[in-house]
Amino acid sequence: MIERPHQHDEGRYLAPSTAHRALTGGPIAVAPTRGEAFVAAVRAGGGDVQPLDENTKGLVWLSETRSDELSDILQQHPGIEWLQLPWAGVDAFSSILNGLAGTNEQDRPVVTSAKGAYSEPVAEHALALLLATLRELPQKARAARWKDERTGLSLFGNRVLLVGAGGVARAFMDLLAPFHCEVTVVRRDPSQHMEGAAKTVGQDGWRELLPEIDAVVLAAAHTDSTRAMWAAPEFDALPQHAVFVNIARGPLVDTPALVSALKSGNIAGAGLDVTDPEPLPDGHPLFDIPECVITSHAADTPAMTRPLLAARVTHNTKAFLSGSPLRGVVSVEEGY
Amino acid sequence: MIERPHQHDEGRYLAPSTAHRALTGGPIAVAPTRGEAFVAAVRAGGGDVQPLDENTKGLVWLSETRSDELSDILQQHPGIEWLQLPWAGVDAFSSILNGLAGTNEQDRPVVTSAKGAYSEPVAEHALALLLATLRELPQKARAARWKDERTGLSLFGNRVLLVGAGGVARAFMDLLAPFHCEVTVVRRDPSQHMEGAAKTVGQDGWRELLPEIDAVVLAAAHTDSTRAMWAAPEFDALPQHAVFVNIARGPLVDTPALVSALKSGNIAGAGLDVTDPEPLPDGHPLFDIPECVITSHAADTPAMTRPLLAARVTHNTKAFLSGSPLRGVVSVEEGY
C-alpha cells in the first residue's frame, strides 16, 4: 500500500518559483545511490537518465549524509544546471548552499528541494490529531474500562484558529472543508486572504479572538516572530473546551505553559507531533497527561514522503527540459 | 460551542418518505417536557406551539422513558396527525407502534423519528477512528516515551471497504472525498451505486476483495445478514497493515476473532465505538490491546444530537404544515 500513489497534484500546495538561470536541459544523473523509484520518476518526466559524466545537466541527489561528495561533484561538473535535493529541509547542505551563494548566478545550478511536497500527509496528521483530541481518543485509549457517559465534541461547525498559511495550511483547509468550520487564519501578511477561511488576520490581530476559538492548529514556520508565540496568556485566553494541535515546530510553544494549561484543565486536550525539546526526554510531564497524545515527529514518515518526492522529481524534470518554472527552488542566499 | 449549529443540510443524508395519511396541519404541542430548543425548532418551521388539548394536530415527544403516558395521550387525542419521536432508535416505543399497526392507516398519526439525522457526527467519529488507527494514535497515547522510528500510514489513496450505504455511509463518503481513496461499498442492493465509490458490491461479492483492502469501516445496520459478518476468515484475509473501524453495531463482529486478529498482528489496529457485549465488561481483553481504542458508544453524544434533532423538528414542522414529505417516517408495521 505504502508506495501506491494517489492523484497527488504537485502544484496544489506550492506556487512554482522561476529559476533565474537559463536552462538548456540534457542528461540527468541519479546519485549517489541509484534509487530505482527516482530513476523511474525522472523517466516519467521525459528525462534521459545517464551515469554522472561530463554531459550531465541535471542531478537528483538522494543522500542527506554525503554532502562532501556532492560538493566535489558540483565543482568537477560545472555543466550541471539543475540540482534536486532530497526532502524538504536543506540544513544538511548549508555549506554547499553557502558556497554557491558566493558565485555568479549564471554559473551555478538551480537548486530545488522537496519543500511544499509533503503538505498532504502533514495536514492529514493535523486533522487526525484534531479529531482525536476533540473526540477524547487519547484518554479513551489509555482507559481500561467502558465509559458510561457519552462525551466528546464534534468538529462540525467549530471555530478553528489556523496559524500559518503555507502548503500544509492550504492542504489542511482542503481536508477541513466538509466540516463547515469557521476558520481564522493567522499569517504574516493578512492582506493575502486564505481561500475558504472566514477571516485572515496578522500576527497582532489574533489574541483577542481566543475566547471564541474551539480548536487551534499550528502550521507555521519557526521564525523569530513565531517562537514561543503560545505561552501562558494565550492558553489562559482559550475556552476550557478548546483543543490544541501542533504539527509545526515545538519551539512555537512554551512547553511549561502547555503542561500547566492541560493539567489545570484550562484547555481540554493537545495533539503534538512536535515538542520542545525534541526528542522529549523520558519522564517528561507531557507523557503523563491523559488528554495529550505525542506522535514523535511522524506526521510525514519516509514511506509517505518517498512517492511525493518522486512526484516532485517528475515535475521538475519536465520543467527542466521544457524551460518552465521548477518547484521548490531553494534560495542559496537565504539557505532555504 | 456545543449548540452552535453549522450549515447542516437536513436533506443530505436521508431521502424523505411520503406519509400516506393526508395531513391537514394545525397546532403543535411539545411534551412531556417543554424543551425550549424544540419549541424554538417548531416555531422556526412556522408551527403554532400550543399546550396539548383537543385542537392538537402535531406532537413533538421528548421523552424516551414515559411511553405509557404517550400511549394514553394518543388514545385521548385522536386528532393528532403527526407524532415526532426523539432520537433515531424507536425501540422504547415498540408497544405504541404495535398498537398503531393494528389500526386503520387513515386513523393513526404519521410517526417520525430522528433516523438519518445524526449521520454527520457518526461519520466524523468513523473518520476520527480511521485516521487514529492508521496514525497509531492508540498505541502512541499509551506510550510514555518518544518513539525514534517514524511510523504510521497515510489515508491518502488508500483502498477502503465501507460496509453499509445509509446516511452515515453517505456522510462518511463526503468527509473521505479529499483523501482520494478507492472506496468499495458493500450494500444489500449493489445495483444502487454509491456516489463517489469506485465499486459497489453485494453481501456476497466482498470477501474476495479483502487482501487488497487497507481499511475497513462498518456503517451497516444490525440484521440477520450482517450479524457476525466479520469473523476469523474475514480478519485473516486482510493484509497485516489493515485497520478496522466499527461505528455500526457490536454484533456485526465476532469479538474473539477480532481480539485474536489484533493480538496476532493479523491486522494493525482497531477503532471501536461499539462492541459485543456492550458495555464491554471490565478486564475484557480488548481493553489491553495497545492497537485498539474503544470509545464507548460516543459517536453521537446528546450534545451533538440535540441541534440535529431540532433541525429535524423544524424540517418536519414545515413539511407537516405544507403537506410535503416528512423525513424519518417510521414504519409502524416494521417497527423502525
Side-chain angles (χ1 to χ4, degrees):
Chain A
M1 172 191 66
I2 288 163
E3 299 285 353
R4 178 157 29 84
H6 74 93
Q7 298 166 304
H8 175 73
D9 173 3
E10 170 62 359
R12 179 91 181 89
Y13 306 112
L14 189 74
S17 309
T18 307
H20 297 294
R21 177 168 174 178
L23 304 173
T24 59
I28 296 170
V30 178
T33 52
R34 187 159 156 87
E36 287 307 327
F38 297 102
V39 169
V42 171
R43 290 195 174 132
D48 173 22
V49 180
Q50 295 291 343
L52 188 70
D53 64 19
E54 69 274 13
N55 299 315
T56 300
K57 295 288 183 186
L59 175 59
V60 176
W61 187 256
L62 296 177
S63 167
E64 266 204 340
T65 51
R66 293 161 72 173
S67 64
D68 286 352
E69 197 177 332
L70 174 59
S71 186
D72 291 347
I73 288 172
L74 292 179
Q75 289 195 354
Q76 291 154 21
H77 299 77
I80 292 178
E81 300 182 329
W82 165 48
L83 168 64
Q84 172 72 51
L85 294 177
W87 315 129
V90 294
D91 322 31
F93 303 98
S94 55
S95 65
I96 293 177
L97 297 178
N98 285 339
L100 292 175
T103 64
N104 186 320
E105 203 171 318
Q106 290 305 317
D107 298 331
R108 68 195 191 202
V110 174
V111 181
T112 54
S113 74
K115 66 180 172 184
Y118 309 149
S119 298
E120 287 184 347
V122 178
E124 174 189 326
H125 201 70
L127 184 66
L129 292 175
L130 177 57
L131 289 172
T133 47
L134 285 168
R135 294 290 186 157
E136 304 177 347
L137 301 192
Q139 47 276 58
K140 285 171 182 171
R142 289 171 182 229
R145 51 180 312 175
W146 191 265
K147 198 166 173 279
D148 284 328
E149 207 193 347
R150 298 160 72 197
T151 56
L153 296 176
S154 169
L155 178 57
F156 276 95
N158 262 6
R159 296 161 303 189
V160 176
L161 188 79
L162 173 59
V163 181
V168 171
R170 180 67 261 157
F172 180 71
M173 292 292 291
D174 287 351
L175 301 183
L176 205 60
F179 291 97
H180 307 291
C181 291
E182 186 187 312
V183 183
T184 300
V185 171
V186 182
R187 69 186 306 177
R188 214 176 316 180
D189 176 7
S191 71
Q192 292 186 273
H193 180 68
M194 169 71 105
E195 190 194 328
K199 226 180 300 193
T200 307
V201 298
Q203 300 273 9
D204 298 324
W206 56 275
R207 284 182 171 81
E208 62 264 35
L209 305 175
L210 294 181
E212 300 293 318
I213 291 296
D214 304 313
V216 176
V217 175
L218 303 191
H222 174 200
T223 66
D224 284 348
S225 66
T226 60
R227 187 172 303 119
M229 65 186 287
W230 283 90
E234 288 75 25
F235 287 117
D236 286 349
L238 288 170
Q240 294 194 329
H241 68 256
V243 298
F244 185 83
V245 168
N246 188 3
I247 45 85
R249 286 291 181 266
L252 271 60
V253 179
D254 177 319
T255 302
L258 173 61
V259 169
S260 155
L262 284 164
K263 281 194 170 177
S264 63
N266 271 0
I267 63 171
L272 308 175
D273 190 50
V274 291
T275 58
D276 181 26
E278 198 172 300
L280 206 60
D282 284 6
H284 192 280
L286 277 176
F287 285 124
D288 289 332
I289 298 171
E291 295 79 12
C292 180
V293 57
I294 297 164
T295 54
S296 307
H297 217 130
D300 52 350
T301 69
M304 293 175 201
T305 54
R306 208 174 297 128
L308 299 173
L309 177 58
R312 169 65 50 93
V313 167
T314 297
H315 175 94
N316 277 351
T317 298
K318 272 186 212 161
F320 174 58
L321 297 175
S322 66
S324 57
L326 283 85
R327 287 194 200 284
V329 173
V330 175
S331 160
V332 297
E333 281 78 12
E334 300 182 63
Y336 68 88
Chain B
M1 172 192 68
I2 288 165
E3 301 285 352
R4 178 156 30 83
H6 73 93
Q7 297 166 305
H8 175 73
D9 173 2
E10 171 62 359
R12 179 91 182 91
Y13 307 112
L14 188 75
S17 310
T18 308
H20 296 295
R21 175 166 176 180
L23 305 174
T24 59
I28 297 169
V30 177
T33 51
R34 187 159 156 88
E36 287 307 327
F38 298 103
V39 169
V42 171
R43 291 195 174 130
D48 173 23
V49 181
Q50 296 292 342
L52 188 70
D53 65 18
E54 67 275 14
N55 298 317
T56 301
K57 296 288 183 187
L59 175 59
V60 175
W61 188 256
L62 296 176
S63 166
E64 266 202 340
T65 51
R66 294 161 72 173
S67 64
D68 286 351
E69 196 177 329
L70 174 59
S71 186
D72 291 347
I73 288 172
L74 292 179
Q75 288 193 355
Q76 291 154 20
H77 299 77
I80 293 178
E81 301 181 329
W82 165 47
L83 169 64
Q84 172 71 52
L85 294 176
W87 316 129
V90 293
D91 323 30
F93 302 98
S94 55
S95 64
I96 292 177
L97 297 177
N98 285 338
L100 293 175
T103 64
N104 187 318
E105 204 171 318
Q106 290 305 318
D107 299 331
R108 68 196 191 200
V110 173
V111 181
T112 55
S113 74
K115 65 180 173 184
Y118 308 149
S119 298
E120 287 183 348
V122 179
E124 174 188 326
H125 201 71
L127 184 66
L129 293 175
L130 178 57
L131 290 172
T133 47
L134 285 169
R135 294 289 185 157
E136 303 177 347
L137 301 193
Q139 47 274 58
K140 285 171 182 170
R142 289 172 182 230
R145 52 181 310 176
W146 191 265
K147 200 167 173 275
D148 284 329
E149 206 194 348
R150 298 160 72 195
T151 57
L153 296 177
S154 169
L155 178 57
F156 275 96
N158 261 4
R159 296 161 303 190
V160 175
L161 188 78
L162 173 58
V163 181
V168 171
R170 179 69 261 154
F172 180 71
M173 291 293 292
D174 287 351
L175 301 183
L176 205 59
F179 291 98
H180 308 291
C181 291
E182 185 186 313
V183 183
T184 300
V185 170
V186 182
R187 70 187 305 177
R188 216 177 313 181
D189 176 8
S191 72
Q192 293 186 271
H193 180 70
M194 169 72 106
E195 191 195 327
K199 225 180 302 192
T200 307
V201 299
Q203 299 273 9
D204 298 325
W206 55 275
R207 285 182 170 80
E208 61 264 35
L209 306 175
L210 295 180
E212 300 292 318
I213 292 297
D214 304 313
V216 176
V217 175
L218 302 191
H222 175 200
T223 66
D224 285 346
S225 66
T226 60
R227 187 171 303 120
M229 65 185 287
W230 283 89
E234 289 74 26
F235 288 117
D236 286 350
L238 288 170
Q240 293 193 329
H241 68 256
V243 297
F244 185 83
V245 168
N246 188 3
I247 46 84
R249 286 292 180 266
L252 271 59
V253 179
D254 177 321
T255 303
L258 173 60
V259 169
S260 154
L262 284 164
K263 282 196 169 175
S264 63
N266 271 0
I267 63 171
L272 308 174
D273 190 51
V274 292
T275 58
D276 182 25
E278 199 171 297
L280 206 61
D282 284 6
H284 191 282
L286 276 177
F287 285 124
D288 289 333
I289 298 172
E291 294 79 12
C292 181
V293 58
I294 297 164
T295 55
S296 308
H297 216 129
D300 52 352
T301 69
M304 292 175 201
T305 54
R306 208 174 297 127
L308 299 173
L309 176 58
R312 170 64 49 91
V313 167
T314 297
H315 176 94
N316 278 350
T317 298
K318 272 186 214 161
F320 175 57
L321 297 174
S322 66
S324 58
L326 283 84
R327 288 195 201 280
V329 173
V330 175
S331 161
V332 295
E333 281 79 12
E334 300 182 64
Y336 69 90

